[in-house]
Amino acid sequence: MGLLETGGAQITSRAEEADVIVVNTCSFIDTAKQESVNTILEMAQHKSSGRAKKLVVAGCLVERYRNEIQKNIPEVDAVVGTGELEDILRAAGIESRSSEPAASASPFVILNTPAGSPSLKSGIPARVARPEGDAREAMGRFSRDQWDGAIADLPNYLYDEHTPRLLATPRASAYIKIAEGCDHPCGFCIIPQLRGKFRSRRFESVVAEAERLAARGVREVTLIGQDTTCYGEDLDLKDGLALLLDRLARIEELRWVRFLYAYPNRITGRLLETIAANQKICSYIDVPLQHASAAVLKRMKRGAGADIFLRSIERMRRTIPNLTLRTSFIVGFPGETEQDFSELCAFVKAAQFDWLGVFGYSDEEGSAAFLLEEKVPRRQIEARRRKLMQIQRQISKKNKRRLIGREYDVLILGPSEETDLLWEGRTEMHAPEIDGKLFINDFGTNRELTPAKFYRCKITETHDYDLVAKII
Ligand code: SF4
C-alpha cells in the first residue's frame, strides 16, 4: 500500500469506488486458498458490472498457482508473487515512481487481505543464508517441482526501513516483520516453498522503522516473521530476538513490544530473562506446538513431546510471572491414532494454556506429509478439533474467572463491533486480532474514552474467552 500510494494511487477500502482492485492472498491451507479464490471471484464482478478496470492478484496464491489463476479467472489482469512486490506499480498501471503523488492518473485501489497482514519490500537481496537453510535446500525442502506453473526462483528479499508503508492497523499498533522465510522441515507445511529461505532484516533497519512508527504515534509494535526466534542467526547474532526486544523497549514512546510465532526449541533462557526484566516487553509468548504425542511430532519432523514441552512451559512460567501463553495444534495429521489424540488432550489439560487454536490437518501437495499414508478421515479430523476446543473452553472459562478484580493497562480500540453499548480494548494478555475480547461497560469517571489511548481497568466479569472490565 505504501508503494502504491507513493506511486500516486489513492487507497480506498470500498471496492465499488476502485479503478484498480488488488487482492492480497494466502494459500498455506485449504480454507485460506478457498477464501482467497472466493474474494478474487467476488472482486471480479466489479470489473464486469462496475467501475474497476484492473484486477491484480498478489501474494502466496500466486507463488502456488501462478499460471492457473489467469487461465481460470480471465478477469485477472496481472499477478504479483511474494517476492515481486515492487511490480505492484506496473501491475496496477502506475508506470512512474515519485515521492509526490502524481498529478494525473490517480487510480483508486483496494487491498483485500484474506489472511495475514500486508507485507511490503524493497529490492534488497537476502543476506548470507544459514548453513541450516543450505542443508535443507540440498535435501529439496524448497523444491516447487510438483507445482505446475510455479516459477523456480524462490522469493529472496525483504523490505527495509525506507520502504514506504501505509498502516492498515489502528493508529496505536503496528506489525513489524523482522524476518522472512523459514528453514524448518515441518512435514505439513509449504510455507518455506511459498516464502523462501530464512533471512533476517538488519537490526538497525528494524530499530529505525520502530523509531519512525513511534514518532508517528504507534505505541505497540508486534514483531512477526515465520519464525521470529531464529532472528539474527544469519547475521551472526546470538540471542538476536532478545537483543532486538531489549533495544526496541528503549524507544521512549513505545509502550508495548511483543513478538509472535516462537519455535519451541529456540526459546532461550536469555529470551525469557529479557522478557521478565523489561516492563515494556509484553509477558506474552505465542509458541505453536502443533502436537504433543512424540510419535506424531516425529512424523511431523518437529521432534520433542509432551514431557519436554511441560518442562519448557514450567521454565517459562517460573521465569516470567503472569505469563500469557498461546499455542496452536494440528489434529488429524496422517497416522494420528486415538492414543495420540488422547495424549494431546491430556497434555492440553496439564498445560493450561491461556489461548489455544486448533487446526484440522490440511493435505497440501508439495508437503512431505502429502506423501504419507494413513490419512485421517475428514469427519474424524473435525470431531477431534471440536473435542479439543471443548476441553480448552472449560480450561479457559475456569482460569479467566481468576482474573476478576485484577487491574491492567488497557489500550482502547473503540466502540464494540457487536453492540453500541460496549467498547473494546486490549491488555498485554491480548495480541492484536487473535485472542479473546475485552469489553468495557463502565467508563468510570471518564465521560468518554479516546481510541488508541491507554487507561487503567479492572476486570469485573469473565466468560469462556472474553472479559468485561471497568475503567478505574
Ligand atoms: S516453523 Fe512454521 S513456517 Fe516453518 S516449516 Fe514449520 S510450520 Fe512452516
Side-chain angles (χ1 to χ4, degrees):
M1 285 194 287
L3 289 166
L4 285 164
E5 194 183 46
T6 306
Q10 288 175 283
I11 310 292
T12 176
S13 57
R14 296 168 58 85
E16 60 276 15
E17 290 177 352
D19 292 324
V20 180
I21 296 178
V22 182
V23 181
N24 195 22
T25 59
C26 181
S27 68
F28 85 122
I29 52 174
D30 260 352
T31 46
K33 281 190 270 193
Q34 198 52 57
E35 191 177 343
S36 295
V37 170
N38 290 347
T39 307
I40 297 168
L41 294 175
E42 190 188 327
M43 293 300 127
Q45 290 176 5
H46 290 280
K47 252 189 95 181
S48 48
S49 61
R51 171 185 173 127
K53 295 181 189 60
K54 263 183 188 291
L55 177 59
V56 181
V57 175
C60 284
L61 199 76
V62 175
E63 295 296 327
R64 175 70 182 82
Y65 298 105
R66 183 175 292 266
N67 294 349
E68 285 175 50
I69 294 170
Q70 278 182 292
K71 202 164 76 194
N72 295 325
I73 313 178
E75 291 91 343
V76 175
D77 297 285
V79 294
V80 178
T82 59
E84 308 159 324
L85 289 191
E86 272 185 2
D87 290 350
I88 194 72
L89 294 169
R90 186 187 41 75
I94 303 172
E95 302 301 337
S96 63
R97 292 194 65 196
S98 154
S99 56
E100 296 296 320
S104 59
S106 296
F108 289 87
V109 176
I110 174 174
L111 270 111
N112 195 310
T113 58
S117 57
S119 59
L120 303 166
K121 60 101 193 163
S122 70
I124 294 178
R127 299 171 68 83
V128 205
R130 299 184 303 159
E132 196 173 329
D134 290 340
R136 295 258 153 73
E137 185 170 29
M139 291 158 73
R141 177 63 177 113
F142 303 98
S143 167
R144 302 160 159 207
D145 291 350
Q146 293 166 44
W147 294 349
D148 285 345
I151 54 173
D153 293 347
L154 285 172
N156 187 30
Y157 28 53
L158 294 162
Y159 81 97
D160 70 12
E161 76 275 27
H162 303 298
T163 310
R165 271 192 79 175
L166 193 82
L167 293 186
T169 40
R171 203 170 64 92
S173 294
Y175 293 101
I176 297 182
K177 182 166 272 191
I178 60 169
E180 181 64 271
C182 181
D183 296 338
H184 288 294
C186 311
F188 49 82
C189 182
I190 58 166
I191 288 174
Q193 290 104 306
L194 295 170
R195 291 271 164 183
K197 290 165 80 173
F198 177 84
R199 63 256 185 218
S200 304
R201 281 182 60 190
R202 287 175 300 109
F203 193 93
E204 301 77 19
S205 172
V206 177
V207 174
E209 185 183 3
E211 284 175 341
R212 205 171 59 203
L213 289 167
R216 281 167 52 184
V218 166
R219 296 292 170 262
E220 174 193 33
V221 292
T222 301
L223 309 184
I224 53 169
Q226 275 78 50
D227 174 8
T228 49
T229 39
C230 279
Y231 175 76
E233 286 188 13
D234 52 337
L235 306 174
D236 266 346
L237 280 179
K238 194 168 165 2
D239 276 306
L241 180 61
L243 295 173
L244 185 63
L245 288 167
D246 190 56
R247 175 66 187 81
L248 296 180
R250 278 187 266 139
I251 298 175
E252 203 180 320
E253 299 95 328
L254 289 183
R255 185 91 175 242
W256 286 342
V257 181
R258 61 172 89 230
F259 65 99
L260 298 177
Y261 322 134
Y263 196 81
N265 68 8
R266 294 295 208 286
I267 299 174
T268 62
R270 171 88 180 263
L271 177 60
L272 297 178
E273 283 151 21
T274 302
I275 299 169
N278 204 315
Q279 267 212 319
K280 282 194 190 175
I281 305 174
C282 295
S283 298
Y284 180 104
I285 295 180
D286 172 15
V287 54
L289 296 175
Q290 313 298 7
H291 214 283
S293 148
V296 174
L297 284 162
K298 190 171 174 202
R299 278 202 307 283
M300 285 179 165
K301 301 191 183 191
R302 286 179 63 92
D307 291 349
I308 293 173
F309 288 157
L310 284 173
R311 280 202 295 278
S312 167
I313 289 167
E314 198 272 321
R315 182 177 65 136
M316 291 183 218
R317 288 187 169 136
R318 189 167 12 99
T319 316
I320 308 170
N322 296 320
L323 174 69
T324 299
L325 198 54
R326 176 176 188 88
T327 194
S328 52
F329 294 110
I330 294 173
V331 291
F333 188 80
E336 181 192 69
T337 61
E338 278 301 330
Q339 170 64 28
D340 292 323
F341 180 64
S342 301
E343 275 181 47
L344 176 57
C345 294
F347 171 71
V348 165
K349 287 176 191 164
Q352 301 277 305
F353 294 100
D354 299 285
W355 308 113
L356 183 152
V358 185
F359 291 87
Y361 170 74
S362 177
D363 206 23
E364 294 305 318
E365 191 179 7
S367 69
F370 189 73
L371 305 173
L372 295 179
E373 294 178 352
E374 299 178 71
K375 297 273 157 62
V376 179
R378 182 79 2 231
R379 278 180 56 185
Q380 196 161 19
I381 291 178
E382 185 48 28
R384 286 178 184 173
R385 196 189 68 77
R386 276 202 308 269
K387 180 166 179 196
L388 196 54
M389 281 315 298
Q390 185 54 31
I391 291 170
Q392 176 62 19
R393 178 185 293 270
Q394 297 307 324
I395 292 170
S396 177
K397 186 178 183 170
K398 183 181 78 196
N399 289 344
K400 297 281 175 290
R401 256 188 234 135
R402 298 199 187 124
L403 302 178
I404 290 178
R406 289 205 200 162
E407 296 176 11
Y408 293 93
D409 288 341
V410 56
L411 173 63
I412 298 298
L413 300 175
S416 168
E417 287 169 0
E418 291 172 29
T419 160
D420 289 347
L421 301 174
L422 300 170
W423 276 47
E424 284 182 29
R426 285 192 289 107
T427 69
E428 73 171 305
M429 297 181 285
H430 302 86
E433 298 179 67
I434 181 80
D435 297 322
K437 295 198 171 208
L438 177 95
F439 295 107
I440 293 147
N441 65 354
D442 184 341
F443 289 6
T445 54
N446 302 278
R447 280 174 64 122
E448 53 188 32
L449 301 180
T450 310
K453 291 256 178 293
F454 285 85
Y455 293 80
R456 192 80 180 155
C457 75
K458 185 188 267 188
I459 309 294
T460 52
E461 197 181 314
T462 61
H463 298 267
D464 290 353
Y465 300 109
D466 297 337
L467 310 173
V468 181
K470 68 182 277 193
I471 303 295
I472 55 173

